[in-house]
Amino acid sequence: MEAGNKIRSSAHPNSLAPPVCGGASRGTLGRYLARRLVEIGVKDVFSVPGDFNLTLLDHLIAEPELNLIGCCNELNAGYAADGYARSKGVGACVVTFTVGGLSALNAIAGAYSENLPVICIVGGPNSNDYGTNRILHHTIGLPDFSQELRCFQTITCAQAVVNNLDDAHELIDTAISTALKESKPVYISISCNLPGIPHPTFAREPVPFLLAPKVSNQLGLEAAVEATADFLNKAVKPVLVGGPKLRVAKAQEAFVELADASGYPIAVMPSAKGLVPEHHPHFIGTYWGAVSTSFCGEIVESADAYVFVGPIFNDYSSVGYSLLFTKEKAVIVQPNRVTIGNGPSFGWVFMTDFLSALAKKLKRNSTAVENYRRIFIPPGMPLKRGNDEPLRVNVLFKHIQQDMLSGESAVIAETGDSWFNCQKLQLPENCGYEFQMQYGSIGWSVGATLGYAQAAKDKRVIACIGDGSFQVTAQDISTMIRCGQRSIIFLINNGGYTIEVEIHDGPYNVIKNWNYSGLVDAIHNGDGKCWTAKVRTEEELKEAISTATGAKRDSLCFIEVFAHKDDTSKELLEWGSRVSSANSRPPNPQ
């Protein structure tokens, strides 16, 4: 949804929803909220029922254009809303008061870190209980009901506690529109006795939002473009690097426009993979310091000028603060600010406006692209071994690359070694890609796969999940089967938290091994379409991929891949040692 577009409902204004359990459906808070969610693009809401939200859930179910998806726990409902928002632009989850809200908190924090507008709706206490000295269940035993609200205040951009119908309309609309404008989650608590009560403010269909486009300060924009063009046009071998804030700025097209006009090589930061087209002729790979794509890091760090568009420089993306670029050579373009070297900084200059205007002012310079092509050597292939040799992880990803990726697929990489192995995949045009690098919560990918697959039904999701992460959130495989999803999940069974082993090893990184495919078979229980396989050799892998993409292409496919506990990517080994070094720095002298 682009800023400035009206968000319109696809339903006829006079269409009637089915009656709701216990009362009328029109002119009520519950119906209004349901219609507003549909209007902004939410067609699926992820929920866990609890006594404080049951009446609200009745009204959401009654909305014909809204599909209520029950999840196994609130954490996964939040992760699913996160995954849904990555595809649709906005997501929503509904949980119950405090016990549900605090369970979803971790997922909402992750969505905040990734700039995703997720509407977290909580069924709250009866409106009559506010301001009394009563102690309610699902609380910590105090008459103060604000604990949940206070927890959400630091990880949402707006909060609304709806316990009075007179201002409910304003509170709901303000919260939802703020989520869309800020591209951050919001929290809405609705008293359990209010959803079914008619009120005049809900008598008509929601008026579509008009989100006014953010317009750059024209003088600031012109000054920023002139100063940047002067800076870059003097450079001999400049480069262009895309960062994760391209998404929140909705600037992917403007980025490509600048790349086409400038002739510069384009790289991506690891957390921006999937936001920049890898089929572009000037694409050179991932810039990730010491673990960059071969030859990409060398071209970026040897440049005499670099434009970082929407970067986030944290300890993970900087490989333990070891990037070898200097600030005085950099132009940093954030969603609403441009900074040139150690010199001028221009505020209220928006990324899309700036990139499009800059594209018209730069002299074409392909020197760095030519240097890259001069030194580039194609990557080698994994060595061929005997048919009965245990499967290596690099062979698994070779076959994902060769046999599975297309414009009709999307990759979801779990926190762990899958970060590094998936980062090396070359994405075809229109192939989706998602992972959670800033927050890095293990287990995120199970719920995110559920949400993304529900939103992007035109794509088949390929999820790569480690065994330790899977143990955190495994239950919602059940929901995937119930929704008829056809994702392919590669469960990498290597006996522990491999990424943590490479940062700092200890007995706590070894987990109890499960029969993962047997667990999924038990969850399947003969109800729905689900197929599982255990894979120990390359031949078994090829056969499993053939089945998953052939005879079982309409089923959820769960492929358990057995790997040696020390079979990791070389990038994880390097990255782990540098992050470990950063983590173990001694205190500064006092």
Side-chain angles (χ1 to χ4, degrees), residues 504-577:
H504 183 96
D505 200 6
Y508 32 75
N509 289 326
V510 179
I511 61 176
K512 170 71 175 70
N513 195 32
W514 293 0
N515 178 356
Y516 294 97
S517 55
L519 173 67
V520 173
D521 286 336
I523 292 171
H524 174 209
N525 198 27
D527 183 13
K529 292 183 177 181
C530 177
W531 175 77
T532 66
K534 294 180 186 288
V535 166
R536 291 181 171 85
T537 67
E538 185 174 6
E539 287 305 312
E540 291 175 352
L541 173 67
K542 289 160 67 175
E543 184 178 339
I545 290 174
S546 176
T547 301
T549 56
K552 299 297 181 180
R553 62 182 174 275
D554 293 326
S555 300
L556 181 77
C557 296
F558 184 90
I559 301 173
E560 182 178 359
V561 178
F562 291 85
H564 191 278
K565 67 181 182 66
D566 295 323
D567 184 358
T568 67
S569 64
K570 74 178 185 65
E571 290 81 6
L572 173 57
L573 298 177
E574 175 71 29
W575 179 89
S577 64

Side-chain angles (χ1 to χ4, degrees), residues 3-66:
N5 289 349
K6 289 187 177 179
I7 309 160
R8 298 195 178 276
S9 166
S10 56
H12 190 276
N14 297 318
S15 63
L16 288 174
V20 175
C21 305
S25 64
R26 290 191 61 78
T28 63
L29 185 158
R31 172 171 166 77
Y32 182 85
L33 178 61
R35 293 301 305 150
R36 183 58 92 193
L37 291 174
V38 169
E39 198 172 72
I40 64 172
V42 174
K43 299 299 177 70
D44 302 272
V45 175
F46 303 92
S47 68
V48 177
D51 60 333
F52 285 126
N53 71 13
L54 298 177
T55 304
L56 177 60
L57 295 182
D58 286 339
H59 287 265
L60 299 183
I61 289 172
E63 168 52 53
E65 293 186 67
L66 204 58

Side-chain angles (χ1 to χ4, degrees), residues 162-234:
V162 179
N163 53 24
N164 186 318
L165 285 174
D166 289 340
D167 61 358
H169 182 282
E170 178 184 359
L171 290 174
I172 290 170
D173 275 6
T174 299
I176 293 176
S177 61
T178 302
L180 300 177
K181 287 186 287 187
E182 301 294 328
S183 199
K184 294 282 189 184
V186 293
Y187 164 87
I188 302 174
S189 172
I190 296 177
S191 288
C192 61
N193 59 326
L194 299 185
I197 301 175
H199 192 270
T201 55
F202 302 126
R204 58 165 293 161
E205 286 284 303
V207 175
F209 286 136
L210 175 62
L211 301 179
K214 293 179 179 178
V215 179
S216 296
N217 175 341
Q218 189 62 31
L219 292 176
L221 174 62
E222 291 171 2
V225 169
E226 182 180 347
T228 304
D230 183 60
F231 180 82
L232 293 174
N233 286 336
K234 292 176 181 176

Side-chain angles (χ1 to χ4, degrees), residues 277-563:
E278 299 187 9
H279 62 279
H280 193 282
H282 294 169
F283 183 77
I284 63 172
T286 299
Y287 175 59
W288 201 354
V291 295
S292 299
T293 306
S294 295
F295 309 105
C296 174
E298 292 82 356
I299 291 296
V300 172
E301 292 181 345
S302 65
D304 57 346
Y306 7 73
V307 184
F308 283 91
V309 183
I312 295 177
F313 297 110
N314 63 24
D315 51 339
Y316 275 14
S317 67
S318 66
V319 198
Y321 311 112
S322 65
L323 298 183
L324 298 179
F325 78 90
T326 55
K327 186 178 177 182
E328 57 265 24
K329 296 180 184 178
V331 176
I332 307 294
V333 185
Q334 293 294 7
N336 60 357
R337 177 169 291 273
V338 176
T339 303
I340 303 169
N342 291 320
S345 186
F346 303 90
W348 211 250
V349 173
F350 292 101
M351 186 183 289
T352 300
D353 297 340
F354 174 77
L355 297 180
S356 294
L358 183 62
K360 299 173 176 64
K361 295 289 186 179
L362 290 182
K363 297 176 183 175
R364 189 169 181 83
N365 184 341
S366 59
T367 302
V369 170
E370 293 162 6
N371 288 347
Y372 172 78
R373 291 171 179 165
R374 201 172 287 118
I375 66 172
F376 176 74
I377 299 172
M381 296 298 290
L383 295 174
K384 189 171 179 62
R385 298 293 174 89
N387 288 343
D388 294 328
E389 185 211 14
L391 183 63
R392 284 170 286 129
V393 173
N394 56 17
V395 172
L396 164 64
F397 283 90
K398 177 189 78 171
H399 285 286
I400 291 175
Q401 178 74 69
Q402 291 179 352
D403 306 333
M404 304 186 76
L405 295 189
S406 72
E408 297 177 346
S409 59
V411 176
I412 290 185
E414 176 58 79
T415 301
D417 198 23
S418 291
W419 274 3
F420 302 91
N421 287 305
C422 290
Q423 196 69 220
K424 292 184 281 189
L425 295 172
Q426 297 171 357
L427 302 181
E429 186 173 3
N430 296 323
C431 180
Y433 187 91
E434 298 293 344
F435 77 135
Q436 190 197 53
M437 185 169 194
Q438 174 59 41
Y439 200 57
S441 182
I442 66 169
W444 161 84
S445 65
V446 177
T449 296
L450 165 64
Y452 191 97
Q454 191 65 26
K457 294 184 178 177
D458 57 331
K459 293 187 182 294
R460 194 166 192 195
V461 176
I462 301 165
C464 300
I465 309 176
D467 48 0
S469 296
F470 185 74
Q471 288 194 4
V472 179
T473 50
Q475 304 97 307
D476 271 282
I477 291 285
S478 171
T479 312
M480 297 179 197
I481 296 171
R482 188 162 61 159
C483 290
Q485 294 183 359
R486 54 193 188 94
S487 300
I488 301 173
I489 297 173
F490 287 100
L491 186 286
I492 300 168
N493 184 344
N494 56 10
Y497 301 120
T498 304
I499 190 169
E500 294 173 12
V501 167
E502 302 308 332
I503 295 173
H504 183 96
D505 200 6
Y508 32 75
N509 289 326
V510 179
I511 61 176
K512 170 71 175 70
N513 195 32
W514 293 0
N515 178 356
Y516 294 97
S517 55
L519 173 67
V520 173
D521 286 336
I523 292 171
H524 174 209
N525 198 27
D527 183 13
K529 292 183 177 181
C530 177
W531 175 77
T532 66
K534 294 180 186 288
V535 166
R536 291 181 171 85
T537 67
E538 185 174 6
E539 287 305 312
E540 291 175 352
L541 173 67
K542 289 160 67 175
E543 184 178 339
I545 290 174
S546 176
T547 301
T549 56
K552 299 297 181 180
R553 62 182 174 275
D554 293 326
S555 300
L556 181 77
C557 296
F558 184 90
I559 301 173
E560 182 178 359
V561 178
F562 291 85

